[in-house]
Amino acid sequence: MHAKCSDCSVRAVCCLADLQVNTAARVASVEGHPAFRQRMLALGITPGSPVTVLRAMPLGGPMEIEVRGTRLAIRRDDAAGIRVATP
Amino acid sequence: MRIALVGNPNVGKTTLFNALTGAHQEVANWPGTTVEYVVGRVRAGGDGADVELVDLPGTYALSAYARDEKVTRDFLLYENYDGVIVVVNAASLERNLFLVLEVLELTPRVVVALNMVDAAEANGIHVDAEALSHRLGVPVVPTVAAKRKGLQELLQMVRRVAEGSLVPLRSWPVPYPEELREMLQPIAAEVASTPVGQRLRPEWVALRLLQGDEDVIRHAQVVPQGRQAVNLALSCCAQQAGLEVELGGQAVALDPALHRHLRSQQSEFELAIADAKYAHIAEMVVSCVRRARVKRTRTEVLDQVFLHRFWGYPLLAVIFFVAFWLSFIASAPLSDDVGNLMAWLGRQAAVALGHAGAAQWLQSLVVDGLFAGIGAVLSFVPYMAIFFAIYQILQDSGYMARASVLVDRLMQMMGLHGKGFFALVSAYGCNVPALAATRVMENHRDRLLTNLVIPFIPCNARLGVMAVMTAAFFPGTLGAFVMLALILISLGVVAGAAMVYRRTVLPTEPAPLLIELPDYHIPSLRNVLIPTWHRVWMFVSRIWTWLLWATIATWALTYFPVGQPVDQSLAARLGHLMAPVGQWYGFDWRLMIAILFGFVAKETTLSTLGVLYGAGSDGALAHLLTQSMTPLVAFTYLVVYMLYVPCLSTVIQMRRESGSWAWTAVGIGVNVTVAFGLGWVLERLLMLLTGAGG
Ligand SMILES: Nc1nc2c(ncn2[C@@H]2O[C@H](COP(=O)(O)OP(=O)(O)OP(=O)(O)O)[C@@H](O)[C@H]2O)c(=O)[nH]1
Ligand SMILES: [Mg+2]
């Protein structure tokens, strides 16, 4: 589990950094620096949007996610700021 | 008329720009290729005015943070233009439409270029341009910029929009929910009567005020009505946040607690606004995009290999090793050929001059100065051409974006930003464009840090000098290992320096890394050859600006006083001044002079050494060098040479990028210190290891 998500108690809501590869999920909320939030919003990572982790690089490397038809690489630490809900 | 080209990164803006204007701006399959705006002209074919096209850096939104994105925003806000072409990638329309809506809110004079329809079709995505145009209320023209398809239609359409003969509609491109509208409309009405509202679309200003955009607030506040609108926006925030405070610009600025409260309300608005946009987009996409599910796209298949959790890494190492081997080892014979050709020309010139009865000094100048100097520089051309071609292939194919994902963990450990990888690799070509490439980073400190470590990376010119000296001192396979060792040393220094800078003077978390992974494609010949030619030409044309004079100066310093041997010359006197430093390392005065002159341009080093050792232009330098120092001294020299100080152009560029002479001075100081410090340590160590003793 990612250090930043240690308070993640509810099973259904967790941070993107801990999401299993190829599991469908939806964004619950985006936390962090305003600039980071803004960038996420511009990229379509808004609450409710579907998101999937396509692959996660080993040793805590970045992960590749797909959101709104685009593939993005994002650092694990940054992904920890994105809460997701699994159905 | 003036038309701006905007769009998300890597959608083909520059390709479109080049196709329309006949320019040769750099294109690559990498988000963040263009970092500055470039203006070009499209000649009108008989009718109508010439069109001036402005190619802008890619951006995801108009609330930009990175310096290159700010270029785009500032252009759209504060410059004059008659229309905007928003280029979108048909294959990822949903994300791209966000920017379209942002621009539409700013100006209605928009034409959408629906680019990369070929790639989209290949992925089974079909976009109905007509329907999309109806939904957006502006023309949508399908294009394939890379194949010059749809360009004339696009140009015609944008002419009509810019001239005003085609008037786009609706003042609110996005149907915001009722409660947002109730707040936006009065603010927009207020803004409409101000100069800001006449320059920029009032709706857009209202949206920005509600989100607390500092730049827009500052601009609005200059006039009384503007301040009123700002206060109105603030009071909307306050009401929403449940605050019952009489709001004035001052009061808000004073109370931090209140301010925080308002900030959080502003980000709520931001969220609501983005949400409304994406909801609208989702609806448009449903009615305009048809998706035939293909089994697996080419990109997915290739990523299974290149981004494999395990095999991706060795593959990366092999690819980069081959790239370097091709550039710096396999190209050596070519480079020798060029050198030999110049030497032969030099001899012919000497004969001709002798026949013509030219003065002794003129003969010396031409043969020992010009031909030797220019020959040494031209022999770098094969290295450069091959390096840049390979680099461009890696980038345009889409592999470079993957490579930066693979090495990101390593970069993170060093405290470097992931996007810096691209700049670091390109630094092996030339440090100057590498420094400019750091502009894709959002955070000033990330940029500065990358700028400070880039000069430790040996550029082509340095690598070329290193390759020649290594070949002379360490023949055969040993040479390849020595080169590898040198490159590893430079990497170690880059990592070490980055860590130290990060822990001491630049302590911040690197800004978030987000790299869009573009589809792979076969690099086009054009995208490889043009930038390669561009770089090589830039290098060759430096012969006239710097090298010729540097070469002549070196020659003069060694030739005068007339009739004296080289070790009595002016150069020798200068060199002897530096000899005390050189002694520590076993460098003689000639090596010190070469280091000093290398500051003008590193590629002069070989010719300087050639002149100083009296090697003439017949390639005897290698032999003379091995005569005058041991391999150990040579190795130390190479380390110092590789690290010590970037060339003059790099220093100037560093000043430009960092915006500060102080940081530039710090960078140079650290360079010199590390180079000579490490050189000293190495020399001692090697002495000990080989048991040679003092
Ligand atoms: N398949 C296809 N590829 C295209 C098309 N237009 C451009 N490309 C490719 O897309 C890549 C990006 O092109 P650029 O012109 O550099 O993109 P840009 O929008 O200027 O990118 P930035 O400057 O980074 O914002 C290049 O590899 C182009 O060859 C097109 O219509 N179809
Ligand atoms: Mg570009």
Side-chain angles (χ1 to χ4, degrees), chain B residues 6-18 25-35 55-59 68 87 114-120 143-149 298 395-398 440 518-524 527:
Chain B
V6 299
N8 283 180
N10 211 36
V11 293
K13 297 176 294 300
T14 306
T15 310
L16 197 64
F17 176 85
N18 286 347
Q25 287 302 317
E26 201 159 309
V27 169
N29 198 2
W30 168 272
T33 308
T34 310
V35 289
D55 183 25
L56 292 162
T59 179
D68 58 337
V87 187
L114 184 65
N115 198 31
M116 301 203 179
V117 282
D118 57 338
T143 58
V144 182
K147 301 200 183 97
R148 300 172 158 267
K149 280 195 198 141
R298 181 173 57 179
Q395 210 185 31
D396 200 41
S397 62
V440 293
D519 277 355
Y520 288 102
H521 63 192
I522 295 168
S524 78
N527 289 357

Side-chain angles (χ1 to χ4, degrees), chain A residues 36-44 47 56-60 62 64 68 70-75 77-78, chain B residues 63 65 69 94-95 267 270-271 278 299 307 309 405-406 408-409 412 416 418 442 512-515 517 519:
Chain A
F36 173 69
R37 282 176 41 115
Q38 208 163 57
R39 171 54 59 89
M40 293 297 137
L41 293 183
L43 288 169
M57 302 317 280
L59 303 171
E64 189 185 345
R68 297 192 193 265
T70 322
R71 277 165 296 126
L72 296 168
I74 180 172
R75 275 190 178 164
D77 282 348
D78 299 328
Chain B
S63 48
Y65 278 92
E69 294 179 318
E94 204 169 344
R95 215 262 329 284
S267 33
E270 197 161 45
L271 185 63
Y278 267 109
T299 298
L307 282 180
R309 280 176 66 86
V405 169
L406 289 169
D408 181 68
R409 189 64 246 232
Q412 200 178 7
L416 285 168
E442 291 89 354
L513 169 88
L514 279 164
I515 297 180
L517 295 175
D519 277 355

Side-chain angles (χ1 to χ4, degrees), chain B residues 380-526:
Chain B
F380 283 103
V381 167
Y383 293 126
M384 301 215 87
I386 295 177
F387 175 86
F388 280 118
I390 294 175
Y391 176 77
Q392 217 56 42
I393 288 172
L394 286 178
Q395 210 185 31
D396 200 41
S397 62
Y399 183 70
M400 205 63 102
R402 272 75 187 179
S404 65
V405 169
L406 289 169
V407 301
D408 181 68
R409 189 64 246 232
L410 204 64
M411 299 283 286
Q412 200 178 7
M413 275 185 325
M414 296 190 242
L416 285 168
H417 190 270
K419 282 185 181 168
F421 175 70
F422 164 70
L424 294 185
V425 175
S426 77
Y428 284 100
C430 176
N431 285 186
V432 176
L435 290 169
T438 59
R439 287 183 209 166
V440 293
M441 294 178 214
E442 291 89 354
N443 186 324
H444 180 67
R445 289 188 171 183
D446 289 340
R447 288 193 53 214
L448 190 56
L449 176 64
T450 316
N451 278 332
L452 287 170
V453 299
I454 279 176
F456 283 125
I457 292 179
C459 62
N460 244 299
R462 277 179 269 175
L463 285 166
V465 173
M466 286 154 59
V468 169
M469 284 190 65
T470 313
F473 284 93
F474 310 95
T477 15
L478 185 58
F481 283 106
V482 170
M483 275 302 269
L484 195 64
L486 286 168
I487 289 176
L488 288 179
I489 288 175
S490 85
L491 279 179
V493 171
V494 167
M499 281 196 258
V500 172
Y501 278 126
R502 191 55 102 186
R503 304 251 147 82
T504 54
V505 285
L506 295 169
T508 32
E509 283 281 295
L513 169 88
L514 279 164
I515 297 180
E516 205 185 318
L517 295 175
D519 277 355
Y520 288 102
H521 63 192
I522 295 168
S524 78
L525 206 57
R526 201 188 146 89

Side-chain angles (χ1 to χ4, degrees), chain B residues 21 115 128 133 187 209 229 332 343 522 631 651:
Chain B
T21 61
N115 198 31
D128 184 345
S133 166
I187 305 175
L209 288 179
I522 295 168
V651 171

